[in-house]
Amino acid sequence: MSQASRNPSSAGLFISFEGLDGSGKTTQLRLLGDALRADGHRVITLRQPGGTPLGNRIRSILLDSGSDADLGAIAPEAELALMFADRAQSLREVILPGLADGSVVLCDRYTDSSEAYQGAGRGLGSDRVLALHQALCNNLQPDLTILLLPPLATALRRARSRNDRHLRQMGADENRFEAESNEFYARVYDQYLEIARRNADRLVVFRGEGSIATIQRLILDVVRERLAAAGRTGVP
Ligand code: ADP
Ligand code: TYD
């Protein structure tokens, strides 16, 4: 399978955040967005699944822990196809226009998540995921991927308590994946390491249990360096 391609004509910078549920992606993405806006960059943030109205419908099917009971057990292949339906829509509706417009696009999960969760977690294999990425996303990969990998048990503890809190406070049930076994998550974790090994120039990995502020500073240093290397200075 050929490696990632990047749209050579795009003026913006595409950054994805990856990691297990509870690894701190959403927290760090928000902090990075704030810092880059303060530096004078135009910033677009989105998450997958769910970066568009269509994607939000798909998200509620995929993340609601009642879906398998309501709809019949969702086949792993159908789950993968829905992830890519969401991704294709957000590419066309949000990511590509944002990059063409010179924005920094911060995306909470992208195709590496499909390779880790459906490819390894569900056992569908990387080749099938990467073939869909080629067919539906023109192989477009981020310029930079921030991979957050605290220990497995730490990430899952954080994600499960956050989801319980959201369920109590807002009635939002997004527990379908968090109910998966520790073995499932161990496969996801190992696949992320494999993806990082294979794409060492794209992924920057943050392992361990650093504080939110420490990790925030490290990420900002990496991103500012990449923006400077791309000749992108903000306009404060
Ligand atoms: P993700 O988007 O990867 O699922 P979140 O950013 O939602 O993760 O974080 C999950 C929970 O863990 C939140 O309650 C968040 O405040 C907390 N958290 C995030 N990063 C850290 C960290 N470095 N140390 C301790 N707690 C953290
Ligand atoms: P989300 O709440 O956005 O992530 P997190 O819990 O890390 O904050 O949930 C998205 C869930 O969907 C998460 O469990 C990972 C899963 N997922 C896949 O399985 N494949 C994919 O391609 C994507 C984008 C997400």
Side-chain angles (χ1 to χ4, degrees):
M1 180 62 55
S2 69
Q3 279 299 303
S5 74
R6 178 72 172 78
N7 180 352
S9 64
S10 94
L13 197 78
F14 183 16
I15 303 176
S16 64
F17 281 72
E18 290 286 352
L20 298 183
D21 309 71
S23 58
K25 298 178 306 301
T26 310
T27 304
Q28 294 298 340
L29 185 150
R30 186 176 45 76
L31 292 168
L32 178 64
D34 291 346
L36 294 180
R37 285 189 188 98
D39 284 351
H41 294 283
R42 241 190 337 263
V43 178
I44 292 174
T45 61
L46 76 156
R47 64 182 178 182
Q48 292 191 353
T52 62
L54 174 65
N56 277 322
R57 294 270 189 98
I58 293 172
R59 181 180 175 91
S60 66
I61 293 173
L62 288 171
L63 267 57
D64 189 320
S65 62
S67 287
D68 292 284
D70 290 349
L71 305 171
I74 298 175
E77 294 82 359
E79 182 178 276
L80 177 63
L82 286 169
M83 293 294 180
F84 270 99
D86 165 76
R87 187 161 299 127
Q89 186 71 21
S90 71
L91 267 172
R92 187 177 281 254
E93 204 175 309
V94 182
I95 297 173
L96 292 175
L99 292 175
D101 191 36
S103 296
V104 179
V105 176
L106 304 181
C107 195
D108 196 339
R109 300 189 177 280
Y110 191 67
T111 295
D112 295 332
S113 283
S114 299
E115 190 181 340
Y117 284 74
Q118 282 68 51
R122 300 282 190 228
L124 294 177
S126 293
D127 285 352
R128 228 183 310 192
V129 176
L130 297 177
L132 281 173
H133 185 65
Q134 168 75 64
L136 301 177
C137 306
N138 199 24
N139 231 13
L140 181 96
Q141 286 286 18
D143 298 291
L144 172 68
T145 295
I146 306 290
L147 173 56
L148 300 177
L149 274 187
L152 186 60
T154 304
L156 290 183
R157 180 174 32 76
R158 285 189 207 149
R160 286 172 179 149
S161 71
R162 177 204 56 201
N163 287 4
D164 288 348
R165 201 168 57 240
H166 286 181
L167 184 57
R168 277 196 313 277
Q169 290 170 353
M170 301 177 268
D173 176 347
E174 295 203 331
N175 277 315
R176 186 168 162 267
F177 280 94
E178 278 82 355
E180 284 299 332
S181 65
N182 290 350
E183 291 72 29
F184 174 94
Y185 277 105
R187 289 195 295 278
V188 173
Y189 187 98
D190 288 346
Q191 188 63 33
Y192 270 130
L193 288 177
E194 166 59 20
I195 294 169
R197 199 193 51 70
R198 223 176 55 218
N199 300 279
D201 51 342
R202 175 169 64 84
L203 278 88
V204 177
V205 189
F206 297 88
R207 297 185 79 165
E209 296 201 59
S211 71
I212 291 176
T214 304
I215 297 172
Q216 178 194 2
R217 273 193 301 277
L218 294 171
I219 292 175
L220 192 54
D221 286 348
V222 170
V223 171
R224 282 189 174 141
E225 200 176 293
R226 292 290 173 112
L227 284 164
R232 302 281 315 283
T233 46
V235 188

